[in-house]
Amino acid sequence: MKNQRSFHIIHRLLRDGHATAPDLAKELEVSVRTIYRDVDALCAAGVPIAAEQGRSGGFSLMEGFSLPGSLMTPEEQAQLLLAVKSTASVTGRDASSLLLKLGGLFQQQEDDWLTVELTRWGSPGGTDERFQLLQRAIRERRCVQFSYVGAGTSGQRTVQPARLVYKASAWYLQGFCLLRQAFRTFKLNRMRALRETGEGFDPLPQPPPIESFVTAAEYPEVKLRFPAEMAFRVWDEFGGDAITEEADGSLTVTARMPTDDGWLCGYLLSFGGAAQVLAPEELKTELAAHARRMAETYEKDLHRS
């Protein structure tokens, strides 16, 4: 607990340059006397904190101070090293120099027991320029514009970018869409002609979760049956608690999924006819209609050829 308070005090001074004992005590929910004891302990450990007396006095760090790695636990240090590896894999930047510096700061050798690679199979690798552009736009609070292809809709969007999120094997942008006047989530792979507009914006509130449990709970329950030969994909794409293995080797999946935007039918057809809808009945009807339209398209092509 004391280490956490020490880290908070140093972080606050690094960020703001100055803080008073009463402010720190209120933030950390301790007494002012405890703050003075923590500051004394930090000074004894070699952290150069200067104290100023008087009405506008308080604490500040001497110029040139950097955060000592000893304030982080080994687990926190490992998490930071892993985060650096993860970010480097998508930006295409060489992180070896940064990892070496962090290893020296933490006084430990960065081992290679884990490699994080977020690029897709078969992709050429290298820097994703969209990721770099969006990262810069978020930091500098600059609007971005792009053509976007969504489920059943497409068009030009101008967005105030807020956060990049990696979820379910893909990167997403969360931002305030000026067209919809609300926060929206956009998949990076569906963006085309992405550019900065040069227009700035004020700080945004925290965007909502990319998918809340409340939203997921509102989806209708869907029950599906897959043959045994599709097990590799079923186990890849559904949670284990949603899958029931039947005596004949087939798999039954029960999950809550969106059924009102046409996405689910396209997804089920990607199994090449192997997915059987058990419920709800309206999804069976909709999927059959999709399949008939596909069959009619190819029959017309065959008659013409």
Side-chain angles (χ1 to χ4, degrees):
M1 190 66 181
K2 184 177 179 180
N3 278 346
Q4 291 180 1
R5 290 201 308 269
S6 298
F7 183 86
H8 180 96
I9 292 170
I10 294 176
H11 177 266
R12 177 82 145 72
L13 297 178
L14 283 170
R15 186 190 68 189
D16 299 338
H18 179 273
T20 66
D23 285 344
L24 291 169
K26 183 177 180 180
E27 292 170 11
L28 293 168
E29 298 181 348
V30 295
S31 67
V32 171
R33 180 173 294 188
T34 297
I35 294 298
Y36 278 109
R37 282 201 298 263
D38 288 343
V39 170
D40 287 341
L42 285 169
C43 290
V47 180
I49 299 179
E52 299 176 22
Q53 302 297 324
R55 191 180 187 119
S56 59
F59 303 116
S60 60
L61 287 166
M62 293 180 63
E63 189 174 350
F65 172 78
S66 60
L67 186 66
S70 59
L71 284 179
M72 300 180 71
T73 67
E75 292 78 11
E76 290 169 337
Q77 294 172 12
Q79 288 175 8
L80 179 56
L81 292 170
L82 179 59
V84 171
K85 284 186 174 184
S86 303
T87 304
S89 74
V90 71
T91 61
R93 292 178 175 173
D94 182 6
S96 56
S97 176
L98 178 55
L99 290 169
L100 184 63
K101 290 177 182 177
L102 287 174
L105 178 66
F106 299 151
Q107 296 183 342
Q108 64 170 266
Q109 186 174 1
E110 197 277 316
D111 53 34
D112 201 27
W113 69 273
L114 178 65
T115 297
V116 180
E117 179 57 69
L118 299 182
T119 55
R120 290 174 293 172
W121 289 102
S123 68
T127 302
D128 187 331
E129 294 181 0
R130 291 170 300 189
F131 188 92
Q132 300 277 32
L133 188 152
L134 290 170
Q135 182 185 40
R136 183 174 62 250
I138 291 170
R139 286 176 173 173
E140 298 178 359
R141 292 205 297 272
R142 299 289 180 184
C143 291
V144 295
Q145 194 172 75
F146 50 87
S147 296
Y148 191 73
V149 180
T153 181
S154 61
Q156 195 85 353
R157 299 295 184 95
T158 301
V159 174
Q160 297 172 344
R163 182 165 60 191
L164 287 164
V165 180
Y166 186 79
K167 184 177 179 66
S169 305
W171 282 100
Y172 295 85
L173 169 70
Q174 286 187 285
F176 189 83
C177 177
L178 299 185
L179 176 66
R180 305 299 184 192
Q181 286 296 298
F183 276 105
R184 290 290 187 269
T185 300
F186 304 95
K187 197 171 186 178
L188 262 63
N189 287 340
R190 297 178 183 174
M191 294 179 181
R192 296 293 181 269
L194 173 66
R195 68 179 185 89
E196 286 187 48
T197 67
E199 182 183 355
F201 58 90
D202 294 331
L204 295 169
Q206 191 80 352
I210 193 168
E211 180 183 286
S212 67
F213 291 109
V214 174
T215 301
E218 291 175 352
Y219 292 151
E221 187 175 87
V222 175
K223 195 168 185 178
L224 309 168
R225 178 72 54 79
F226 297 91
E229 57 267 26
M230 296 304 298
F232 71 97
R233 189 171 168 192
V234 172
W235 286 106
D236 268 352
E237 301 187 24
F238 296 95
D241 56 349
I243 302 170
T244 302
E245 297 183 78
E246 306 296 344
D248 62 355
S250 64
L251 301 169
T252 300
V253 173
T254 304
R256 294 190 176 276
M257 307 176 75
T259 60
D260 58 354
D261 61 1
W263 168 83
L264 184 54
C265 284
Y267 172 71
L268 294 176
L269 289 171
S270 73
F271 285 86
Q276 178 188 358
V277 177
L278 303 180
E281 290 297 323
E282 54 269 24
L283 180 58
K284 293 183 185 180
T285 303
E286 187 179 356
L287 186 60
H290 272 75
R292 279 195 296 270
R293 287 196 292 270
M294 289 179 64
E296 290 170 0
T297 298
Y298 286 106
E299 285 171 359
K300 289 177 182 177
D301 287 344
L302 290 172
H303 288 316
R304 283 196 294 265
S305 57

